[in-house]
Amino acid sequence: MKGPRYLTGARRQIALLRTLGYEGYRRLSLRQLLRMNKLLASEKLVAHGGKYVVNSFLPPFPSRAFASLAQGVSRLARGAAAPISAYIAVTDTCRYKCPHCSKAGRSGEPLSFGELARVVSDTQKEGVSIIGFTGGEPLLFRHLEELVAQVDDRSVSLLFTSGDGLTPERARSLADAGLFGAAVSLDSFDEAEHDAGRGMQGAFKAAVAGIANLKEAGIYAMTQIVATRERCDPQWMDKYLEFVRSLGVDEVRLLEPMPCGKILRGHGDWRITGEQHEYLKRIHVESNSRRKAAKVSSFAFIEDVSRYGCGAGFQHFYVDVLGNVQPCDFTPVSFGNVRREPLRQALDRLQKAFARPRGTCFMLENGERLAGCSCADTPIPCDEAAKVVDFGNAGELPAFYRALGWRDPSAEN
């Protein structure tokens, strides 16, 4: 299977020069641009379909979606909130039983196709450059291709899937609808281990076949894995990265365990150690420094205060299957519902609470407090959550915002 084409060194830098042609970036000073470029030093580019991908947190360039991103960065440089990405749950149905699933604990009537299409339209009006479709298992939503087709070229669309039902025909139909990329959850290089974690025999074979089908259809193919304590062992992780590289994936997304789903209510000892957290940051740098190694996007590294911090509620939002507007799919707090009010009204509430970039992951800091909230509903209404957490306590300002010229009031006191 043909692997991805990575760009490093001078070739990477020459490709990045093409981003300077976008209006939003032309408004930035040379100093701001140089500082932003420095933050990309630990990324290697992926050449895909005539475009370049920095990582799955940013749209590819050249594209109109990247122009949307550049406009958003320009707004951020002026101190205004600018949502860059949004994920939308299209179904709560799934055949698997994963303990970390963020859809756990929700009940009600899912959004209809018409309601979801309106959410996509309203999301694009906000200038969002990446729209991700998730679930449950989004492949079980029979109108998925129609919804993907609703996303015009102001944004790129991503799919987050277990691979269950990702046949060659389904991959081609998604590509025809305009899907840019898809992340398949693959928990191990060992079939039995993956199947046990998913609670379904055959889950491993479905995921591996799904990746091959994405590649064949020309879709940007990723794997996604929650890096638990056991998986933070260097020998295990090296074997995993070598395995997924052999599958030809374009990118590997490494997630740190989060207190969500059943874990939020005390299911198991989920938190990794500080040393393991640092290890996940090193993997990002080390793997991306080698042209023939797998491209890694580690949340621990990207969301570190030395990079971009946590974008939940500020750069990113999530709409669950019932219409609740949340900071991210891991944060079970609702700031409004698109069934009862326009998306913009809920975002006003959300952006007022998350008015400033965060230096650390909101849920890693506040998950235990939210788990102890007296409200039994999931997601928790924002006024109830505010009784146990301080949304405004954002900590140190991340380096990306310092590069754009933001001032950190906490550093001046």
Side-chain angles (χ1 to χ4, degrees), residues 21 24 34 93 225 268 299 375:
L34 289 174
T93 303
I225 179 174
F299 281 51
C375 179

Side-chain angles (χ1 to χ4, degrees), residues 313-344:
F314 186 80
Q315 274 194 9
H316 177 81
F317 65 89
Y318 167 70
V319 180
D320 78 0
V321 71
L322 305 178
N324 295 296
V325 179
Q326 303 174 203
C328 75
D329 49 340
F330 299 126
T331 306
V333 179
S334 175
F335 286 82
N337 190 289
V338 295
R339 274 189 168 138
R340 297 190 291 268
E341 61 185 344
L343 174 63
R344 176 28 56 194

Side-chain angles (χ1 to χ4, degrees), residues 76-204:
L76 290 172
R78 299 194 300 271
I84 303 300
S85 60
Y87 295 167
I88 303 168
V90 300
T91 180
D92 59 354
T93 303
C94 183
R95 300 198 310 145
Y96 296 172
K97 300 176 178 64
C98 310
H100 57 273
C101 181
S102 60
K103 79 176 182 67
R106 297 164 201 256
S107 61
E109 183 67 25
L111 295 177
S112 66
F113 170 75
E115 289 171 319
L116 287 166
R118 188 182 73 245
V119 171
V120 168
S121 176
D122 291 346
T123 295
Q124 288 205 278
K125 289 176 184 176
E126 295 296 328
V128 167
S129 59
I130 296 177
I131 296 179
F133 296 111
T134 183
E137 173 48 66
L139 290 170
L140 296 177
F141 181 58
R142 64 190 181 94
H143 297 294
L144 181 59
E145 282 84 349
E146 296 172 65
L147 197 60
V148 169
Q150 296 288 318
V151 181
D152 65 38
D153 63 359
R154 289 173 295 172
S155 314
V156 294
S157 55
L158 301 179
L159 176 69
F160 297 94
T161 174
S162 66
D164 185 22
L166 190 52
T167 62
E169 296 77 17
R170 198 72 195 275
R172 283 195 298 269
S173 69
L174 286 164
D176 290 343
L179 184 71
F180 175 77
V184 178
S185 294
L186 185 61
D187 302 331
S188 178
F189 49 80
D190 180 79
E191 181 174 353
E193 183 179 0
H194 178 87
D195 287 359
R198 296 278 152 177
M200 177 71 71
Q201 189 173 1
F204 179 85

Side-chain angles (χ1 to χ4, degrees), residues 238-279:
D238 286 348
K239 192 170 182 179
Y240 176 83
L241 293 177
E242 182 60 29
F243 173 69
V244 294
R245 190 184 72 84
S246 73
L247 299 178
V249 300
D250 297 295
E251 183 178 335
V252 182
R253 290 165 57 98
L254 293 181
L255 283 70
E256 187 169 348
M258 297 285 174
C260 63
K262 294 178 182 177
I263 294 174
L264 180 65
R265 301 301 180 184
H267 181 91
D269 189 6
W270 57 272
R271 194 181 290 271
I272 63 174
T273 67
E275 183 178 347
Q276 289 173 326
H277 177 84
E278 293 300 313
Y279 169 66

